[in-house]
Amino acid sequence: MILPSFKYHQPTTLNEAFAVAKTCNGDFDFIAGGTDVLPNYKNRLNNRSHVISLSAIKELFELGDSKIGAMVTLVQLEKNEWLLQNHPAIAQAAHLIATPPLRESATVGGNILLDTRCWFFNQSHLWRESKGFCLKADGNDCLVVPQKDICYATYSGDLAPVFMVLGASFHLAGPAGRREVAAADFFRHDGITRYVKQPEEILTHISLPENAGELRASYRKLRLRDSMDYPVMGAAVALRLNGKIVDELRIAITGIDTTPFLYDDITKGVSGRELNSALTAQIANDVMEAVKPYRNVHFTPQYRKAMVGVYLKRLLQELSGD
Amino acid sequence: MSSNSANGNGIVGTRVPLIDALKKTTGEGFYTDDIKLPGMIVGKILRSPHPHARVKRIDVSKAEALTGVHAVLTGDEPGAQNRFGVLPISRDEIALPKPGAAGRAGRVLYVGDCVAAVAADNEEIALQALALLDVEYEIVPAIIRVEKGLEKTTEPIQDRTKDGTNVHKTVEQQFGDVAGVLDNSAHVRTNEFEFIGVNHAFTEPMATIAHYDADDRLVLWSAQQVPHYLHRALADVMEMPMHRIRVIRPMVGGGFGGKSDPFPHEMIASLLSRKCRRPVKILFDREEVFYNNHGRHPTKTRIIVAADKDGMLTALDVDATIDGGAWGSFGVVTTYYNGVLAMGPYRIDNFNYAGRRVYTNKAPCGAMRGHGAVNTRFSFEVTLDQLADDLKMDPCDLRLKNLLPANTETINGFRITSNGTRECIERARERSGWDQKYGQLPFGQGIGLSCGFYISGSAHRIHFNELPHSTVHIKIDMDGGVTVHCMAAEIGQGSDTMLAQCVAESLGIKMERIRIFSADSDTDPVDLGSYSSRVTFMAGNAAVRAAEKIREKLIQAAARKTGYPAGGFVLTNEKVVYKPNPDIFLTFDEALTAALAKSGALIAKGAYLDPPPIGKRNEFKGWRAGLSPTYSFQAYMAQVHVDPETFEVRVQKVWAAHDCGKALNPLAVEGQIEGCVHMGLGQVLMEDMSYLHGTIQGPNFLDYRTLTPMQMPDVDVIIVESGDPEGPFGAKEAGEGPLLPILPAVANAIYDAVGVRVFSLPITPDKLWKAAQRQGVKID
């Protein structure tokens, strides 16, 4: 498989990047590590005529001081001393992504902005021609949930749920200026638009709130193999206990729906309650009942749903020191 | 002939790195894609998006007009419609469909089937040209489910099928009185299993270069396991005599049966090259490898196994419905092997087999490591475990009680010579601590057993003739190097090293003197190829026979030179030594110089013909299927951990005992066994070539999941050496049989761990979880 031809740009500042993008009339992609964009290009999935690399924009590489630059690689993330000490769940989640060679080039920003995945979408042109093209590329109908309005491709990023439970913010820069969006408010329930970031905006960095270090957090992912595979369900939990009493609990699930999803509506109500096995089971069950997997990635939806319960129970036990 | 024992020269039986390992690992070696010829251009194939369609018309004008395009090929090209196939009895493949033609000749038969092809300056132009081909299809109803293929149809996928259905081949064999015995057996178990198709997943994708040269000769470089069968097929398709065609096999990055057919892309490259008189290279991407497939057949197997109250097996009944995909390939053999290889390593006096292979509009299936035997072996060994439960017998004891003895004949006429099954079971049992583990590990942990049995070379030739199975030429000139020629295909399994060892051992010389030429049909004598686990036994014997003739020449020369009688000389340690008085000797080089005097280069030929005649000849239809000069035997134990809530399976350790007769190279035998475990674990735990309404669901290595190193357990390889009386230095196969037992051993271990059985492969956590839910498994 060879890449389609495109014009490659490598601006050195954000403003230069915005200026280049403006000349492309919307026919461009920003590219970081390329481990998500380029395989999709090889499959001729919404490939653009211009590819604007972020690899020469220095400010995107910062790491430390509660700030993670979007161009930080996953390998840097999993080995970073400050993260390992203060937010081990981030390093842990990064370590579980893809394979060591891919983590050398894949970036934090790329993982957060990972394109949604679906077995009707992540295929070659011939394959998609054989099945009929789908809403997300070259077609008019979703082949997972038959309708024409939204795309049900699955969000498979591993880092976003961890950032969500830690209360992180995503920082965007665009021609119109900079803005900050809470990780919890970043994603949109549609496999095509995916998030609130506008095409001409660039994710510059992620910031963590000062009290994030007080949370004990962990992430586990369900997949067939211990390497390579995307999560077909991933669960992140952050917990602050006062003795056995829950001070704060946040849960996010990825790999199930079109977006990672935070279950504050379920976890808010448990603050002030003792985290015993009954409450653990109840929380795990409530979240499990709330998820709705589709049949468009590996493993049956029933199994993935059931595993939400098992994984959350184990994470809560792990974090409460049971 | 003394080919059944080592000469004691320390070459055979020693751990030797493969002789091409350094070239491969340093990047010096070259594969087909590394070859660059002057003027070489790129060939690309247009593939069908439809599982079954008539190609009514192809407008090639726009593609032909594109700058940089040298040739556009359709089924209108002379030769493109000539039938070929690896088995002369089912030659149902063509290079390209003929637009507008009636019947099979004008149709595409599966998603990914070849429609047309182009040759262009580079890949980018070639892809543009493919997009400019204007094809008009007329959709034909597709047969996707194998059951549908059993029904009558007005438009069968292939021209020759059974009674107006899509059935390609049926086999029925009966021995003894199965029905009568089943009625009177104390214990009877019946199971239905479903096996999804799997692909070889070799590293190097298909690659071929055709050069129809200035001398009007066709030279073809191709990643192939069976260059000889390719040679024959090219002659048929190109309508050229074989001597006008030269087939070269560069280094091959794995085959596992997936490169053991002549393929359409090889014909297409040849036709393109003839058309534009340029060397044309076709290199597949991984998706094309999946469409070309020829992997293990999806199969539905119904099995009945019966035993008497003491645990003696009384009857075996196997019924297999085999999904062949669109072409014949090795399918006739597959259909036989699903039945005839079922019984060994056990003695059973009543056996029925009914098998049918069905054409469907899916990628063709063919031979894959353990060809035809893997799915039935799984069915049988899992059912045996259930019988052991019913009998309240240890699974080891049940098997030990029913083993075939050495030097016997089975009821279907297999001549069993060496047989190390008992030693395999006993040694694996001891090393694994089976007696302290089976049925006694905590919930979630388990250990399982399976035996295995496989041919060591098919005694039956694919082409009916009296030629040898393998021929080896040896030449030694005054430089002292030993040149060995044989077309046995080195595909990574180590056949070149095996030939070198056999010759070096026979001549008592260092391996570094040997150079193997096994790639070029112009210079290297015919060997039928790397399939059916035949190379060590057949080419190895041929090499030993050739070397013995060379040895005789050197001994005669030494006798002349020293004046001592020839009968007393042996070749050892780079010397020709007079054994009664070892002080009398010539160095190898001195003996060689003496032998070359007034004669020139020493040359000799050795051939492997046939095993001795075997019983049951002509007594029943299909009597030849499964006959082999000898058989390999295995017993494996696998220990697993099953998560009691997620049902994720981790294979922790495997004890793999394999009877290879004699390990010519223990390092290579270990490699084969570990590789077999890896591959078999893939099929039992994850590999899945499912279809989404006629299209392979995930034709790539992200969706088609093979085992990563993270899942690979520690393998305790136990080499059992039964010393085959006819094998080279006592050796028999080690490349395929070692795959068979790992699948049922794991399934049986999972049952020991959590008490759940899944009757369809792969046993993924979601399936196991569902079965456990249905069964109401409780975590203790």
Side-chain angles (χ1 to χ4, degrees):
Chain A
M1 269 203 233
I2 56 169
L3 282 168
S5 59
F6 51 76
K7 185 159 171 53
Y8 180 75
H9 307 268
Q10 196 178 30
T12 54
T13 65
L14 284 173
N15 282 333
E16 201 187 322
F18 303 141
V20 173
K22 201 173 172 188
T23 65
C24 300
N25 295 320
D27 186 13
F28 72 93
D29 273 321
F30 289 121
I31 191 170
T35 56
D36 188 34
V37 171
L38 294 182
N40 283 354
Y41 270 40
K42 285 191 172 181
N43 276 332
R44 307 303 190 264
L45 290 167
N46 304 322
N47 51 302
R48 314 288 186 197
S49 307
H50 297 268
V51 170
I52 306 171
S53 169
L54 305 179
S55 61
I57 304 174
K58 287 206 178 66
E59 77 159 276
L60 304 178
F61 290 80
E62 287 175 48
L63 177 57
D65 241 0
S66 297
K67 195 174 162 185
I68 302 169
M71 286 297 289
V72 168
T73 65
L74 299 180
V75 139
Q76 290 172 312
L77 208 60
E78 65 183 307
K79 293 183 176 160
N80 182 267
E81 276 304 316
W82 165 68
L83 279 172
L84 285 167
Q85 299 232 328
N86 297 285
H87 306 290
I90 297 173
Q92 174 201 357
H95 179 70
L96 296 175
I97 296 168
T99 62
L102 286 169
R103 292 200 294 273
E104 288 285 348
S105 46
T107 64
V108 179
N111 191 260
I112 290 169
L113 302 177
L114 194 74
D115 201 355
T116 51
R117 302 186 60 82
C118 174
W119 64 39
F120 291 99
F121 173 70
N122 297 97
Q123 302 282 3
S124 70
H125 191 273
L126 170 67
W127 195 101
R128 290 178 291 123
E129 188 186 357
S130 80
K131 295 262 74 63
F133 295 101
C134 82
L135 189 61
K136 191 166 161 68
D138 308 315
N140 301 311
D141 298 272
C142 175
L143 301 178
V144 180
V145 181
Q147 41 76 50
K148 297 170 188 294
D149 298 326
I150 73 160
C151 160
Y152 281 88
T154 299
Y155 180 79
S156 309
D158 289 289
L159 294 174
V162 180
F163 286 130
M164 283 173 145
V165 297
L166 292 175
S169 287
F170 297 160
H171 296 258
L172 304 174
R178 295 183 182 248
R179 61 180 177 135
E180 178 180 344
V181 183
D185 300 327
F186 186 74
F187 294 94
R188 286 283 169 269
H189 177 50
D190 172 15
I192 294 171
T193 49
R194 303 178 307 198
Y195 34 65
V196 301
K197 186 185 91 64
Q198 295 300 306
E200 65 277 12
E201 286 183 303
I202 291 170
L203 174 65
T204 57
H205 65 281
I206 300 96
S207 67
L208 294 158
E210 272 181 24
N211 64 353
E214 296 165 20
L215 291 161
R216 292 171 71 182
S218 189
Y219 175 74
R220 294 185 186 205
K221 75 195 275 189
L222 174 69
R223 54 177 168 177
L224 188 53
R225 302 180 291 185
D226 303 331
S227 181
M228 203 113 108
D229 295 344
Y230 286 98
V232 286
M233 192 282 290
V237 176
L239 177 68
R240 190 170 55 226
L241 283 177
N242 184 358
K244 294 212 159 188
I245 307 299
V246 177
D247 241 9
E248 187 177 358
L249 172 65
R250 299 194 100 180
I251 292 173
I253 302 289
T254 187
I256 286 277
D257 210 324
T258 56
T259 74
F261 202 83
L262 197 56
Y263 290 90
D264 281 357
D265 52 336
I266 290 170
T267 55
K268 270 204 176 111
V270 304
S271 289
R273 291 177 63 186
E274 184 189 338
L275 189 61
N276 52 25
S277 59
L279 184 60
T280 297
Q282 185 203 316
I283 295 165
N285 192 63
D286 286 354
V287 177
M288 181 183 77
E289 290 300 333
V291 303
K292 197 180 166 207
Y294 304 102
R295 192 179 291 276
N296 64 345
V297 293
H298 290 291
F299 286 162
T300 59
Q302 296 87 336
Y303 176 71
R304 287 156 66 210
K305 188 179 177 73
M307 288 310 106
V308 170
V310 173
Y311 273 56
L312 284 179
K313 186 186 80 181
R314 291 182 178 184
L315 280 161
L316 287 166
Q317 284 170 349
E318 172 196 332
L319 294 173
S320 60
D322 251 11
Chain B
M1 201 160 291
S2 62
S3 64
N4 59 350
S5 64
N7 293 352
N9 283 328
I11 303 288
V12 154
T14 306
R15 299 168 67 87
V16 183
L18 299 187
I19 58 175
D20 52 3
L22 282 176
K23 284 227 157 85
K24 281 183 176 169
T25 48
T26 57
E28 261 184 46
F30 57 94
Y31 295 81
T32 304
D33 188 43
D34 296 320
I35 298 169
K36 290 176 178 59
L37 300 175
M40 190 171 79
I41 55 176
V42 171
K44 274 276 164 195
I45 297 167
L46 182 73
R47 294 182 179 276
S48 169
H50 306 297
H52 202 184
R54 248 183 297 283
V55 176
K56 295 188 73 176
R57 187 185 57 79
I58 305 178
D59 182 351
V60 301
S61 56
K62 284 183 190 153
E64 275 182 339
L66 186 68
T67 306
V69 170
H70 294 261
V72 178
L73 198 74
T74 69
D76 286 326
E77 179 77 13
Q81 284 275 304
N82 288 345
R83 298 290 173 109
F84 64 94
V86 69
L87 301 183
I89 42 174
S90 60
R91 301 203 308 173
D92 55 17
E93 303 178 26
I94 52 174
L96 292 169
K98 187 176 172 67
R104 186 261 182 269
R107 282 182 278 138
V108 283
L109 305 184
Y110 63 95
V111 172
D113 200 358
C114 305
V115 179
V118 300
D121 281 338
N122 58 45
E123 189 171 351
E124 197 174 356
I125 297 171
L127 289 172
Q128 285 171 18
L130 290 187
L132 290 173
L133 289 171
D134 184 10
V135 185
E136 188 187 333
Y137 296 101
E138 182 189 349
I139 304 299
V140 179
I143 305 294
I144 305 301
R145 289 174 49 247
V146 69
E147 291 81 3
K148 192 81 182 159
L150 299 171
E151 298 170 6
K152 296 248 185 212
T153 174
T154 52
E155 199 152 20
I157 295 166
Q158 290 283 2
D159 296 340
R160 285 175 59 189
T161 59
K162 306 273 178 202
D163 308 324
T165 67
N166 274 297
V167 174
H168 165 217
K169 171 73 187 171
T170 54
V171 174
E172 287 201 21
Q173 293 188 344
Q174 277 114 28
F175 302 94
D177 173 21
V178 169
V181 169
L182 285 179
D183 285 343
N184 297 306
S185 290
H187 300 280
V188 179
R189 277 280 189 166
T190 305
N191 285 319
E192 287 180 29
F193 294 91
E194 184 168 359
F195 302 91
I196 217 120
V198 290
N199 181 269
H200 320 81
F202 40 69
T203 312
E204 180 204 20
M206 267 71 192
T208 199
I209 299 170
H211 188 197
Y212 195 89
D213 68 15
D215 301 329
D216 282 331
R217 271 197 95 195
L218 174 66
V219 186
L220 190 91
W221 292 258
S222 204
Q224 260 290 349
Q225 296 178 237
V226 290
H228 177 65
Y229 296 144
L230 171 61
H231 198 171
R232 285 173 174 265
L234 284 168
D236 291 343
V237 170
M238 303 300 286
E239 297 177 43
M240 292 165 71
M242 281 178 80
H243 67 265
R244 302 299 297 158
I245 299 170
R246 178 181 176 195
V247 175
I248 302 173
R249 173 202 55 77
M251 280 185 173
V252 175
F256 311 108
K259 293 170 180 165
S260 59
D261 291 64
F263 291 114
H265 66 273
E266 292 164 328
M267 310 305 156
I268 288 169
S270 302
L271 292 166
L272 279 171
S273 180
R274 181 158 71 184
K275 197 165 183 191
C276 65
R277 293 295 186 131
R278 293 269 211 128
V280 176
K281 178 191 283 185
I282 293 180
L283 171 68
F284 279 13
D285 59 36
R286 185 57 57 178
E287 184 163 337
E288 291 180 287
V289 173
F290 277 100
Y291 292 144
N292 193 63
N293 190 32
H294 289 72
R296 197 173 324 288
H297 291 67
T299 306
K300 293 182 177 174
T301 307
R302 198 264 298 122
I303 192 163
I304 306 170
V305 189
D308 68 15
K309 63 179 176 29
D310 300 320
M312 295 306 295
L313 296 177
T314 53
L316 173 64
D317 186 315
V318 178
D319 182 288
T321 301
I322 302 162
D323 185 345
W327 299 343
S329 181
F330 274 99
V332 170
V333 180
T334 318
T335 314
Y336 277 111
Y337 281 6
N338 265 266
V340 301
L341 300 180
M343 280 185 295
Y346 310 112
R347 158 136 278 157
I348 303 171
D349 291 332
N350 303 284
F351 171 57
N352 280 359
Y353 172 59
R356 60 210 66 78
R357 182 180 189 266
V358 183
Y359 287 122
T360 57
N361 290 112
K362 291 184 284 191
C365 298
M368 180 168 162
R369 205 177 199 178
H371 181 198
V374 174
N375 297 342
T376 309
R377 177 59 44 202
F378 183 89
S379 308
F380 189 12
E381 295 283 337
V382 166
T383 308
L384 265 186
D385 239 43
Q386 294 176 320
L387 275 178
D389 257 7
D390 297 344
L391 286 153
K392 300 189 172 41
M393 270 179 86
D394 184 287
C396 291
D397 295 334
L398 174 63
R399 286 167 173 87
L400 285 167
K401 193 164 192 167
N402 286 284
L403 293 182
L404 277 172
N407 303 312
T408 183
E409 190 180 313
T410 66
I411 53 163
N412 59 341
F414 294 178
R415 186 187 63 130
I416 306 294
T417 53
S418 59
N419 180 349
T421 322
R422 181 171 299 276
E423 188 181 340
C424 286
I425 296 177
E426 284 170 353
R427 285 176 64 187
R429 186 179 200 166
E430 196 202 325
R431 289 184 73 99
S432 67
W434 170 273
D435 290 336
Q436 288 76 50
K437 288 177 178 169
Y438 177 72
Q440 299 159 60
L441 294 170
F443 186 82
Q445 291 183 52
I447 190 167
L449 161 72
S450 170
C451 291
F453 168 82
Y454 203 64
I455 56 171
S456 187
S458 172
H460 169 51
R461 288 177 188 76
I462 285 177
H463 296 265
F464 286 96
N465 59 42
E466 293 187 331
L467 299 174
H469 288 263
S470 187
T471 306
V472 169
H473 294 173
I474 299 178
K475 183 209 79 176
I476 315 183
D477 212 333
M478 52 76 65
D479 67 341
V482 180
T483 305
V484 179
H485 289 277
C486 174
M487 271 305 266
E490 169 66 64
I491 56 168
Q493 88 280 38
S495 69
D496 280 359
T497 309
M498 181 279 300
L499 288 174
Q501 282 185 282
C502 285
V503 173
E505 176 73 32
S506 300
L507 298 181
I509 54 174
K510 288 181 182 153
M511 288 273 283
E512 66 188 38
R513 284 188 188 265
I514 315 281
R515 47 227 182 181
I516 304 293
F517 287 75
S518 58
D520 189 336
S521 69
D522 269 8
T523 54
D524 309 329
V526 172
D527 173 278
L528 297 181
S530 291
Y531 67 98
S532 90
S533 274
R534 53 177 293 291
V535 175
T536 292
F537 200 94
M538 296 181 174
N541 266 324
V544 170
R545 282 163 203 178
E548 281 168 347
K549 291 179 187 163
I550 294 280
R551 182 165 72 198
E552 197 48 37
K553 291 173 201 262
L554 291 164
I555 285 174
Q556 290 298 340
R560 277 198 307 274
K561 190 92 180 165
T562 60
Y564 285 86
F569 282 93
V570 293
L571 273 69
T572 184
N573 204 17
E574 296 258 323
K575 288 184 195 118
V576 184
V577 181
Y578 185 62
K579 221 175 167 186
N581 179 2
D583 290 338
I584 295 157
F585 67 88
L586 296 184
T587 66
F588 181 81
D589 290 317
E590 287 166 350
L592 178 63
T593 304
L596 292 172
K598 294 177 187 162
S599 139
L602 305 185
I603 53 172
K605 176 181 78 181
Y608 179 81
L609 293 156
D610 262 337
I614 296 167
K616 310 260 182 200
R617 196 170 277 258
N618 283 325
E619 282 179 28
F620 59 91
K621 188 168 170 8
W623 63 274
R624 288 187 185 88
L627 295 184
S628 175
T630 187
Y631 298 86
S632 75
F633 299 88
Q634 304 79 28
Y636 281 19
M637 288 168 186
Q639 189 168 337
V640 305
H641 176 266
V642 182
D643 185 304
E645 288 180 302
T646 65
F647 289 88
E648 290 165 295
V649 176
R650 183 163 288 279
V651 180
Q652 297 169 306
K653 175 118 184 175
V654 174
W655 294 267
H658 168 70
D659 166 20
C660 63
K662 162 78 185 172
L664 299 180
N665 182 357
L667 186 63
V669 172
E670 284 166 19
Q672 283 296 324
I673 291 172
E674 286 166 3
C676 277
V677 168
H678 177 266
M679 200 168 208
L681 286 175
Q683 189 185 352
V684 70
L685 294 176
M686 57 185 70
E687 293 187 34
D688 181 345
M689 229 176 93
S690 284
Y691 281 76
L692 269 181
H693 321 295
T695 305
I696 298 169
Q697 186 170 303
N700 59 71
F701 275 165
L702 189 59
D703 290 313
Y704 184 84
R705 290 163 299 181
T706 59
L707 214 68
T708 74
M710 311 267 290
Q711 273 80 39
M712 185 65 191
D714 181 28
V715 182
D716 183 356
V717 173
I718 302 163
I719 295 175
V720 170
E721 297 186 319
S722 60
D724 192 81
E726 293 157 29
F729 307 104
K732 47 191 185 180
E733 74 96 21
E736 299 193 71
L739 185 139
L740 302 167
I742 186 60
L743 293 83
V746 167
N748 289 338
I750 290 171
Y751 181 77
D752 188 44
V754 291
V756 180
R757 288 201 189 274
V758 169
F759 293 88
S760 72
L761 294 192
I763 305 176
T764 50
D766 52 340
K767 275 193 206 167
L768 197 54
W769 170 81
K770 192 175 172 190
Q773 297 275 308
R774 212 185 289 129
Q775 217 172 293
V777 168
K778 290 248 169 25
I779 305 160
D780 299 329

